[in-house]
Amino acid sequence: MPKKNESKPTERIVARSSMVSQILPRLRQDVVEGKWKPGERLIEPVLCEQFGVSRTPMRDALRVLESEGLVELIPHVGAVVTKPEAADISGTFDILAVLEATAAEKATRERSPIFLAKLKKLVAKMDAAVNAGDAAAYIKVNDEFHRRIVIESGNPALIDIHEHLMWHVHRVRHATYRSLPFTNETGRHHDELLALMEQGDAPGVFAAMRAHMLDVGRNVMSASGWQQGVEPSAEVA
């Protein structure tokens, strides 16, 4: 029998899981925002000291990042930040285009007044950011616009896959958004998407969202230097 002050195995597992859930978002954010460059090794003892955790939850968190494709765990070396590949990012946008088009179509068929009112406010905020020339603010609101559409789908599998894919988009875009076009035409697709939703044009929304996401993908690829000879449009996200 366990001694009086001895923790049970189940309790230790829960405690470790809690620590992983606390440090994982910060680790992921640091990779996505470029604190660590591709090819850079993440030194476990340094990270453990920084986060105030033991090596076991840190390793568990790094395994999650490996499953997401953000780091690679190399024997006798440790965790190394991966390098985004052109084919991976291009493929990611192909999938995102279908996922978001599907979510937008379903949301349009439902046409929740509360949902549409929230989208309308977000579009207004995006327009204000464009007028102010604030690309960072625009991208933040834009991400919320797309996220709300995905969540409105009510499809847990779609939501989960979308979230994981978006980390790779955030990562590449964070490094290149200053090179993306940002003009008065930026955001026009969102006005069109909102209008189609308000009209209840589900097939039209599907086609428009898919075209929009593919356009964004081309812009990101061009800004990254992976797609030559393509003139980017005003859509940055």
Side-chain angles (χ1 to χ4, degrees), residues 101 104-110 196-197 199-208:
E105 180 183 36
K106 189 173 187 301
T108 301
R109 294 189 189 283
E110 298 290 337
L196 289 169
M197 287 184 176
Q199 296 164 16
D201 185 353
V205 164
F206 183 96

Coordinates of all heavy atoms in Angstrom, one line a residue, residues 101 104-110 196-197 199-208:
A101 N -13.6 26.5 -46.5 CA -14.8 26.6 -47.4 C -16.0 25.8 -46.9 O -17.1 26.2 -46.9 CB -14.4 26.2 -48.8
A104 N -17.4 27.6 -43.8 CA -18.2 28.8 -44.2 C -19.5 28.4 -44.8 O -20.5 29.1 -44.6 CB -17.3 29.6 -45.2
E105 N -19.5 27.3 -45.6 CA -20.7 26.9 -46.3 C -21.8 26.5 -45.2 O -22.9 26.8 -45.3 CB -20.5 25.7 -47.2 CG -21.7 25.2 -47.9 CD -21.4 24.0 -48.7 OE1 -20.5 23.2 -48.4 OE2 -22.0 23.8 -49.8
K106 N -21.3 25.7 -44.2 CA -22.2 25.2 -43.1 C -22.7 26.4 -42.3 O -23.9 26.5 -42.0 CB -21.5 24.3 -42.2 CG -22.4 23.6 -41.2 CD -21.7 22.5 -40.4 CE -22.6 21.7 -39.6 NZ -23.3 22.5 -38.6
A107 N -21.8 27.4 -42.0 CA -22.2 28.5 -41.2 C -23.2 29.4 -42.0 O -24.2 30.0 -41.4 CB -21.0 29.4 -40.9
T108 N -23.1 29.4 -43.3 CA -24.0 30.2 -44.1 C -25.4 29.5 -44.2 O -26.4 30.2 -44.2 CB -23.5 30.3 -45.6 OG1 -22.2 31.0 -45.5 CG2 -24.4 31.1 -46.5
R109 N -25.4 28.2 -44.2 CA -26.7 27.5 -44.2 C -27.4 27.7 -42.8 O -28.7 27.8 -42.8 CB -26.5 26.0 -44.4 CG -26.0 25.7 -45.8 CD -26.0 24.2 -46.1 NE -25.3 23.9 -47.3 CZ -25.8 24.1 -48.5 NH1 -27.0 24.6 -48.7 NH2 -25.1 23.7 -49.6
E110 N -26.7 27.8 -41.8 CA -27.3 28.1 -40.4 C -27.7 29.6 -40.3 O -28.7 29.9 -39.8 CB -26.2 27.8 -39.3 CG -25.8 26.3 -39.3 CD -26.9 25.4 -38.8 OE1 -27.8 25.9 -38.1 OE2 -26.8 24.2 -39.2
L196 N -22.1 37.4 -49.0 CA -22.6 36.1 -49.4 C -23.2 35.3 -48.3 O -24.3 34.7 -48.4 CB -21.5 35.3 -50.0 CG -20.9 35.8 -51.4 CD1 -19.7 35.0 -51.8 CD2 -22.0 35.6 -52.5
M197 N -22.7 35.4 -47.1 CA -23.2 34.8 -45.9 C -24.6 35.4 -45.6 O -25.5 34.7 -45.2 CB -22.3 34.8 -44.7 CG -21.1 33.9 -44.9 SD -20.0 34.0 -43.4 CE -18.8 32.8 -43.8
Q199 N -26.6 36.8 -47.5 CA -27.5 36.5 -48.5 C -27.9 35.0 -48.5 O -28.9 34.6 -49.1 CB -26.9 36.8 -49.9 CG -26.7 38.2 -50.2 CD -25.7 38.4 -51.4 OE1 -25.5 37.5 -52.2 NE2 -25.2 39.6 -51.5
G200 N -27.2 34.2 -47.7 CA -27.5 32.8 -47.6 C -27.0 32.0 -48.8 O -27.5 30.9 -49.0
D201 N -26.1 32.5 -49.5 CA -25.5 31.8 -50.7 C -24.4 30.9 -50.3 O -23.2 31.2 -50.4 CB -25.0 32.9 -51.7 CG -24.6 32.3 -53.0 OD1 -24.6 31.0 -53.1 OD2 -24.2 33.1 -53.9
A202 N -24.8 29.7 -49.9 CA -23.9 28.7 -49.4 C -22.9 28.2 -50.5 O -21.7 28.2 -50.2 CB -24.6 27.5 -48.8
P203 N -23.4 27.9 -51.7 CA -22.4 27.4 -52.7 C -21.5 28.6 -53.1 O -20.3 28.3 -53.3 CB -23.3 27.1 -53.9 CG -24.6 26.7 -53.3 CD -24.8 27.7 -52.1
G204 N -22.0 29.8 -53.1 CA -21.1 30.9 -53.4 C -20.1 31.2 -52.4 O -18.9 31.5 -52.7
V205 N -20.4 31.0 -51.1 CA -19.5 31.2 -50.0 C -18.4 30.1 -50.1 O -17.2 30.4 -49.9 CB -20.2 31.1 -48.7 CG1 -19.2 30.9 -47.5 CG2 -21.0 32.4 -48.4
F206 N -18.8 28.9 -50.4 CA -17.8 27.8 -50.5 C -16.7 28.2 -51.6 O -15.5 28.1 -51.3 CB -18.5 26.5 -50.9 CG -17.5 25.3 -50.9 CD1 -17.4 24.5 -49.8 CD2 -16.8 25.0 -52.0 CE1 -16.5 23.4 -49.8 CE2 -15.9 24.0 -52.1 CZ -15.7 23.2 -51.0
A207 N -17.2 28.6 -52.7 CA -16.3 28.9 -53.8 C -15.4 30.1 -53.5 O -14.2 30.1 -53.7 CB -17.1 29.2 -55.1
A208 N -16.0 31.1 -52.9 CA -15.3 32.4 -52.5 C -14.3 32.1 -51.5 O -13.1 32.6 -51.6 CB -16.3 33.4 -52.1

